[in-house]
Amino acid sequence: SQQGEEDPQALSIQEGENATMNCSYKTSINNLQWYRQNSGRGLVHLILIRSNEREKHSGRLRVTLDTSKKSSSLLITASRAADTASYFCATDPRRGGKLIFGQGTELSVKP
Amino acid sequence: EADIYQTPRYLVIGTGKKITLECSQTMGHDKMYWYQQDPGMELHLIHYSYGVNSTEKGDLSSESTVSRIRTEHFPLTLESARPSHTSQYLCASSPLGPSGKGQAGNTIYFGEGSWLTVV
């Protein structure tokens, strides 16, 4: 199975609410990245957190990493309708050399 | 915006036809990738390359082939398309990590994708 598994698979919230997505992985990693994909488009890199970091912020995004639990979360604060997209975590394993993508969380933000 | 371009964006072809999906990047990246993604599903790596004349099979077996004659160009070819090849194909690139082939610590830049429908 994939290294990265995301939860929930789908999330529907109202504009202004916060959205939290979780990612779990299985092996040791160098870093973990989050990507966004609008419907029918390519993926866009959002944020990278290294294995020695616990939390990182970028605008309305907040990412946490717990290497002891092998998990990460992405929080989008004050969500907007334009945040509607699929969000993927990708892990860079210590052994392997290639990013491994999870199944993604489909976020729907209703105006 | 990433400087990586895919053509065509949308293609409908008949079974048995040969097709080539083009991918070019102007960022000078050594590593390039092809992913296959069905709607609403995860990405599957089908091919990657560390540089010119380097090509490797990905995690998902694919009947497609790739070539890397120039750094900026990484085309994918299907010799005889079948309906089971209907999918979205995403090209991507990244610079080599500080440890060369062994590390993938840099951001991956994706193209907009090519939607292939085989009828």
Side-chain angles (χ1 to χ4, degrees), chain A residues 6 22 29 31-32 36 40-42 46 56 59 63 69-72 75 90 93 97 102 105 107 111:
Chain A
E6 283 147 87
N22 303 296
I29 61 171
N31 65 69
L32 185 145
R36 165 192 169 128
R41 309 292 290 272
L46 293 176
K56 203 161 183 180
V63 170
K69 295 181 180 178
K70 292 187 169 57
S71 68
S72 173
L75 169 68
T105 292
L107 174 65

Side-chain angles (χ1 to χ4, degrees), chain A residues 2 30 35 37 41-42 97, chain B residues 37 42 103-104 107-108 111-112:
Chain A
Q2 288 288 326
N30 293 311
Y35 288 78
Q37 183 181 35
R41 309 292 290 272
Chain B
Q37 183 187 31
E42 62 199 287
Q103 296 291 331
T107 299
I108 289 186
E112 288 293 297

Side-chain angles (χ1 to χ4, degrees), chain A residues 12-96:
Chain A
S12 181
I13 60 174
Q14 293 295 128
E15 214 167 23
E17 294 180 341
N18 295 342
T20 300
M21 289 159 268
N22 303 296
C23 172
S24 61
Y25 57 92
K26 296 178 180 176
T27 63
S28 297
I29 61 171
N30 293 311
N31 65 69
L32 185 145
Q33 303 178 31
W34 285 91
Y35 288 78
R36 165 192 169 128
Q37 183 181 35
N38 286 358
S39 180
R41 309 292 290 272
L43 279 74
V44 175
H45 179 261
L46 293 176
I47 196 165
L48 180 153
I49 186 165
R50 300 189 188 283
S51 61
N52 61 354
E53 297 175 314
R54 292 295 166 258
E55 188 170 313
K56 203 161 183 180
H57 297 255
S58 176
R60 292 184 296 113
L61 305 180
R62 173 178 164 245
V63 170
T64 62
L65 179 64
D66 187 337
T67 52
S68 66
K69 295 181 180 178
K70 292 187 169 57
S71 68
S72 173
S73 68
L74 171 67
L75 169 68
I76 304 174
T77 60
S79 63
R80 305 166 182 167
D83 294 329
T84 294
S86 292
Y87 292 82
F88 292 85
C89 71
T91 50
D92 171 15
R94 289 195 187 278
R95 296 180 183 178

